[in-house]
Amino acid sequence: MTVARATSEQPPVRGVFDCDEAHRSPLRSDYERIFNIGLVVLDTNVLLNLYRSNESTRRDTLAALTRLRERLWIPHQVLTEFWRNRESPTVRHHHATKANEAGATLDKAVKAARTAVAAWLTAVQLKDNEEVVKRTDRDLTELEEAAGSLKEFIQAQAVSDALRDTATTHTDPVLKALEPLLHGRVGEPLSSDEYDKAVKEAQERADEGIPPGHEDFRTKEPELAAGDYLVWLQLMTEARHRGCDVLLVTGDVKKDWWTNRGYDIPPRPRAELLRELREHAGVKLYMLTPSELLRWAKELLELNVDEGSVRDLQQLGEVSTDEDSEDGAWTTESLSEFMDELMRRYPSRVKAIVAAAANGGFVDRETVYQLAGYDETRRLRGFTQPIGTLSRDLQATGVLTGREPFLLTTVYGHATDPSWAKGFRIPSGVIPLLRSKYEGGDLWQVRDSGEARSEAFEKG
C-alpha cells in the first residue's frame, strides 16, 4: 500500500473572480480611491471635445479636471494627436462643420423631392397636366423655402455656439485652460528607435487581433493606426513607474477598448487590457467615458454638474461611434477616382497596389524597389504615408467616407532584418475591383513569387 506524502505546498485558494476573463464591477470606493491616490489618464478625444462641446459642458468638464489636477497625466502620444487634430474642421470648427453638413443634407432632400415628383409625373402621364404641375410646383417651392429657413436657423445657431478666439494659440480659451492644468503632467516622447519599434509591434498585434487599436489598421495608415497602442504603451510604462491603479478616460468606445456593452451592463475594459496592465505594472485598470467621468465627479467631488453636460458628452460619443462603424467599403467609383488621383501624385504607389492585386494581395520588398526605381540605399519607411494623405484629401471633398479599409499595409519581418518591411498587403475586398480596372494593362503583371503566394495564403 502506498501512502501519499504530505506536502507543505498547498494549492492556491481560488474564488469565482480568480480567472483572467472575470471582471469585478467597480465600486464607488474604487473611483474614490483613484480620485485620491490613483492615476487619471486622459485620451485625446477628452481634450478635443472641449472644442466640440457647448459652453456649459466645457465649463463642467474643466471644473472636474481641475479638481483632479494632481492625479492627471497624459501620454505624449495624446499631446501629439491633440495638436495633429486641433485644426481639423471637425474639431476647432465643429459647430460650423455640422451646420454645413446639415445644410447639404437638406439641399439633397429638396433636390431628391423634385426628382421624385418629376419621375412620378412622367410615370403617370401627368407632366403635361397644367393643373397638377402647378400644384406640385407650389408645394415643392414651399418645401424649398422651409428648408432654406431651417438652414438659416441652423447656421445662426452654429454661430452662437461657436468657440471664439481660437485662431491664435495665445487667445484660444481651451489652450489657456489646458496649459496650467496639464503643465508637468505630460509624458516623455518615445525616441526614434522606440517609436519605430512600437509602430511595428502595433501592426503585429493588429494582425493577431490584440487590443487596443487593431480596428484602426483597417482604415488608417500604420503610423496613425498605431496611435492607440502608443497611448497604451506609454500608459503602462507610467503605471509601472508610479505603482498605482489607473483610470483611463476615453471617448473611444470601439470594441478594441471595451467589452461589448449590454443594455443593462455597465461598460468594462477588455479582459486582455486588464490582464496586460496587471502583468506589466501589477496594478488595476479602470475606464470611464467623459460623460461617465462627469457623473462620478458630481457624486464624489460634489461638483454642480449640469445633467445637460452629461447628455452633451454622451451625444458626442454616439457620433464618434457612428463615424467608426464598419459599414464603409470601397466602391468601383471611389476606388477608381482614388487610384487615378494617386497615379497623378504618386505613381510608384499605384504600381505597388496593382502588383499586389495581381499576385494574391501581397507585393514583396524587392518588387517594390524594382517598380519604383529605387536604389538599394533608399529606405521604405513612410512608403504608405501618401495613401493616408490622399485619403484625407478625398474625405474632405466627399469622395471617400473615411471608413474604407486602408489600401496598403506594411508587412514587417524581412529575412535580412526583421525591422525592415518584407512587403506590402492590400485588403482582399479590393482585388476584384482592381482586377476589373487594370487586368490586361501594363501594370497588371503576375509574378512567380513563392513568398507572395505564401503571404496571400496565410492572410487568406
Side-chain angles (χ1 to χ4, degrees), residues 70-81:
E70 297 305 316
R71 308 265 60 85
L72 294 183
W73 183 81
I74 65 169
H76 197 276
Q77 178 65 21
V78 166
L79 190 65
T80 299
E81 293 177 2

Side-chain angles (χ1 to χ4, degrees), residues 10 44 61 108 153 155 173 186 198 219 255 332 344 351 370 374 379 398 404 440:
Q10 297 296 326
T44 312
T61 300
K108 289 180 181 178
F153 170 76
Q155 290 289 351
V186 180
T219 59
K255 63 184 181 181
T332 301
R344 283 189 283 272
K351 294 175 183 178
Q370 180 183 354
Y374 293 163
R379 299 179 62 186
E404 293 83 1

Side-chain angles (χ1 to χ4, degrees), residues 55-312:
E55 179 59 32
S56 174
T57 304
R58 185 163 43 250
R59 182 177 61 249
D60 286 345
T61 300
L62 288 171
L65 296 181
T66 299
R67 290 289 296 275
L68 293 169
R69 182 173 181 268
E70 297 305 316
R71 308 265 60 85
L72 294 183
W73 183 81
I74 65 169
H76 197 276
Q77 178 65 21
V78 166
L79 190 65
T80 299
E81 293 177 2
F82 171 79
W83 283 104
R84 178 192 298 149
N85 290 286
R86 175 181 172 272
E87 292 295 332
S88 168
T90 60
V91 176
R92 198 162 61 83
H93 303 292
H94 170 78
H95 296 286
T97 299
K98 292 303 177 183
N100 291 338
E101 290 176 358
T105 300
L106 287 170
D107 289 340
K108 289 180 181 178
V110 171
K111 183 178 180 180
R114 287 194 174 279
T115 300
V117 171
W120 172 74
L121 290 171
T122 300
V124 297
Q125 295 83 45
L126 288 174
K127 65 178 182 178
D128 295 325
N129 186 311
E130 185 176 343
E131 182 178 349
V132 172
V133 170
K134 184 177 180 180
R135 164 63 191 274
T136 55
D137 279 347
R138 184 184 72 236
D139 289 349
L140 286 170
T141 298
E142 290 179 359
L143 177 64
E144 188 169 358
E145 290 174 350
S149 176
L150 186 54
K151 284 172 58 180
E152 290 178 3
F153 170 76
I154 291 172
Q155 290 289 351
Q157 187 65 43
V159 172
S160 174
D161 291 337
L163 184 61
R164 291 169 175 77
D165 300 322
T166 63
T168 59
T169 58
H170 62 273
T171 60
D172 185 332
V174 171
L175 294 177
K176 290 171 74 173
L178 288 179
E179 170 56 20
L181 192 63
L182 298 177
H183 185 74
R185 293 173 175 82
V186 180
E188 290 295 315
L190 298 175
S191 68
S192 179
D193 289 343
E194 289 172 332
Y195 178 83
D196 290 344
K197 179 182 177 182
V199 171
K200 178 176 177 291
E201 288 175 351
Q203 185 151 7
E204 291 172 345
R205 288 168 64 110
D207 289 342
E208 298 177 18
I210 301 175
H214 58 83
E215 291 290 307
D216 288 338
F217 276 87
R218 295 182 63 255
T219 59
K220 298 178 181 178
E221 60 190 277
E223 291 197 357
L224 293 181
D228 279 3
Y229 176 64
L230 296 177
V231 169
W232 178 242
L233 180 64
Q234 293 172 358
L235 179 155
M236 289 196 296
T237 301
E238 186 68 13
R240 185 173 184 175
H241 171 68
R242 298 201 187 195
C244 60
D245 291 347
V246 177
L247 170 62
L248 173 61
V249 184
T250 177
D252 189 341
V253 294
K254 295 195 298 294
K255 63 184 181 181
D256 53 0
W257 279 106
W258 302 87
T259 296
N260 290 339
R261 298 159 170 238
Y263 72 96
D264 62 345
I265 301 175
R268 57 185 186 269
R270 287 280 294 260
E272 299 95 322
L273 302 179
L274 294 166
R275 184 166 58 251
E276 186 172 12
L277 185 61
R278 183 178 68 241
E279 293 173 351
H280 183 86
V283 301
K284 296 178 182 178
L285 172 68
Y286 300 87
M287 285 169 51
L288 290 175
T289 63
S291 63
E292 292 161 351
L293 177 70
L294 280 193
R295 287 192 187 278
W296 280 108
K298 180 178 182 179
E299 181 174 344
L300 297 177
L301 304 178
E302 299 180 351
L303 287 175
N304 184 23
V305 174
D306 191 329
E307 187 60 30
S309 299
V310 176
R311 290 195 300 270
D312 183 27

